[in-house]
């Protein structure tokens, strides 16, 4: 059986066509995944995350402000997206999608969202194109339901997972690993359980060596009830915001190694797509689909 893939049309929100955030990549990713035969029975469609669920990882006042379209202008600027109705609907749908992917991972071993990885959203506000921290909300929801007791976040987006680190800073049940470009956004990094800051220009070989050096020992030490994998494709050499030098083949090998390391230990894995930036969404969407191909190849 191919791993379930979670998608919702609301993942593509309405923002100006010339906006620097490549919003159309979500629509295009779904088309590619379907055309490549990875979702023969169709996508699994999530319910939007509820206010109560979102408030398990965020301050209730922030959640209410977002849902009421009343985010203060200073925070809206930090998020970097116009906080209109479609952007808010997208944030709730994407978070619901990661919750659903996690439930499906617990049931089937492996499942991926076609959005998610909003790792810059902190407990009290969003930032860096992230409104709600979908992975943090999903972890808190599953813990509140007694479905999991521990979790590991493997964050391979090129930007440091500062929001996730902040939310779980005092939570010993959640281990956070961030593999990122040291000189990249955010300027002020928050301490994850383990941070690996890579130099500008890091290539496939050095990147994969850094990953191999930490992932297996960390899995053996923590043996979490679930792994959330942020498969951001912004470490790619052509990414507009990346500064690293991974190739398409390097990203594919990274995804394969993470899935193999986690699943060979019998640990469920929920994949989210994270960042990927550039003016042309086609190559970015194709890079994001590498995650879904890697998941399908492992299951097959
Ligand atoms: Zn990123």
């Amino acid at each position: 059986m191919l791993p379930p893939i979670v998608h919702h049309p609301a993942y593509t929100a309405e923002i100006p066509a010339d906006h620097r955030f490549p919003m159309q990549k979500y629509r295009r990713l779904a088309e590619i995944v379907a055309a490549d035969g990875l979702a023969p029975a169709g996508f699994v469609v999530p319910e939007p995350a509820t206010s109560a669920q979102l408030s398990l990882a965020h301050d209730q006042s922030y959640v209410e402000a977002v849902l009421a379209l009343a985010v203060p202008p200073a925070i809206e600027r930090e998020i970097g997206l116009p906080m209109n109705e479609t952007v808010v609907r997208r944030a709730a749908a994407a978070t619901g999608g990661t919750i659903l992917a996690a439930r499906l991972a617990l049931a089937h071993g492996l499942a991926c969202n076609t959005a998610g990885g909003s790792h810059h959203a902190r407990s009290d506000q969003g930032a860096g194109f992230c409104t709600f921290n979908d992975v943090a909300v999903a972890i808190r929801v599953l813990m509140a339901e007694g479905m999991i007791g521990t979790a590991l976040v493997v964050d391979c987006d090129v930007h440091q997972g500062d929001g996730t680190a902040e939310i779980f800073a005092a939570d010993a049940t959640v281990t956070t690993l961030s593999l990122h470009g040291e000189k990249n956004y955010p300027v002020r990094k928050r301490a994850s359980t383990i941070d690996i800051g890579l130099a500008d220009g890091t290539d496939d070989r050095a990147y994969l060596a850094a990953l191999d050096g930490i992932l297996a020992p960390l899995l053996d030490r923590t043996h979490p009830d679930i792994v959330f994998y942020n498969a951001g494709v912004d470490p790619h050499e052509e990414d507009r915001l990346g500064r690293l030098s991974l190739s398409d083949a390097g990203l594919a090998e990274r995804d394969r190694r993470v899935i193999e390391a986690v699943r060979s230990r019998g640990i469920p894995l929920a994949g989210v797509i994270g960042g990927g930036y550039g003016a042309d969404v086609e190559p970015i969407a194709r890079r994001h689909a590498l995650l879904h191909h890697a998941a399908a190849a492992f299951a097959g």
Side-chain angles (χ1 to χ4, degrees):
M1 185 192 115
L2 287 168
I5 298 176
V6 177
H7 180 72
H8 196 297
Y11 288 175
T12 308
E14 290 165 25
I15 61 174
D18 60 350
H19 195 283
R20 66 192 194 284
F21 185 80
M23 186 63 79
Q24 295 302 321
K25 74 180 187 180
Y26 299 93
R27 178 188 54 74
R28 188 65 193 121
L29 171 61
E31 290 171 357
I32 290 168
V33 166
D36 288 354
L38 302 182
F43 297 116
V44 193
V45 181
E47 294 290 326
T50 65
S51 177
Q53 289 174 327
L54 295 164
S55 299
L56 292 171
H58 295 286
D59 294 355
Q60 195 176 351
S61 57
Y62 171 66
V63 171
E64 287 173 357
V66 172
L67 297 180
L69 303 181
V71 173
I75 295 179
E76 184 173 26
R77 274 195 299 278
E78 243 188 281
I79 293 173
L81 294 170
M83 295 303 289
N84 64 40
E85 193 181 344
T86 68
V87 169
V88 171
R89 194 184 308 139
R90 166 182 180 275
T95 305
T98 298
I99 296 170
L100 179 56
R103 293 192 199 286
L104 292 166
L106 291 176
H108 304 287
L110 184 54
C112 294
N113 198 355
T114 51
S118 297
H119 60 170
H120 299 306
R122 311 190 289 270
S123 51
D124 64 345
Q125 69 165 87
F129 303 135
C130 303
T131 305
F132 298 129
N133 194 314
D134 54 292
V135 166
V137 171
I139 290 171
R140 286 274 164 80
V141 167
L142 294 178
M143 284 188 170
E145 294 177 357
M147 299 291 288
I148 59 169
T150 58
L152 167 64
V153 181
V154 176
D155 187 340
C156 288
D157 187 282
V158 83
H159 303 100
Q160 200 247 356
D162 58 336
T164 316
E166 183 264 339
I167 290 169
F168 296 116
D171 188 341
T173 63
V174 180
T175 304
T176 52
L177 166 65
S178 179
L179 201 69
H180 54 265
E182 183 62 30
K183 289 192 178 161
N184 213 319
Y185 177 95
V187 174
R188 185 187 168 205
K189 297 175 173 58
R190 312 266 181 145
S192 312
T193 311
I194 298 174
D195 284 296
I196 298 179
L198 302 165
D200 286 359
T202 295
D203 63 7
D204 291 345
R205 180 191 291 258
Y207 187 98
L208 293 169
L211 181 67
D212 286 345
I214 189 63
L215 186 57
L218 185 60
L219 287 166
D220 289 335
R221 181 161 65 77
T222 59
H223 207 85
D225 294 335
I226 188 169
V227 167
F228 286 83
Y229 173 41
N230 183 329
V233 297
D234 43 16
H236 192 271
E237 58 195 341
E238 287 168 11
D239 192 89
R240 196 168 65 78
L241 303 179
R243 305 174 69 117
L244 301 191
S245 294
L246 270 67
S247 66
D248 286 343
L251 288 173
E253 178 63 12
R254 176 197 68 172
D255 294 348
R256 192 194 69 75
R257 289 190 192 188
V258 171
I259 292 170
E260 161 78 22
V262 174
R263 294 298 300 130
S264 69
R265 288 168 172 80
I267 301 168
L269 183 146
V272 297
I273 71 165
Y277 302 95
D280 183 3
V281 298
E282 184 65 23
I284 298 166
R286 293 211 169 270
R287 276 174 216 141
H288 282 305
L290 294 172
L291 168 67
H292 306 89
H293 275 281
F298 188 87

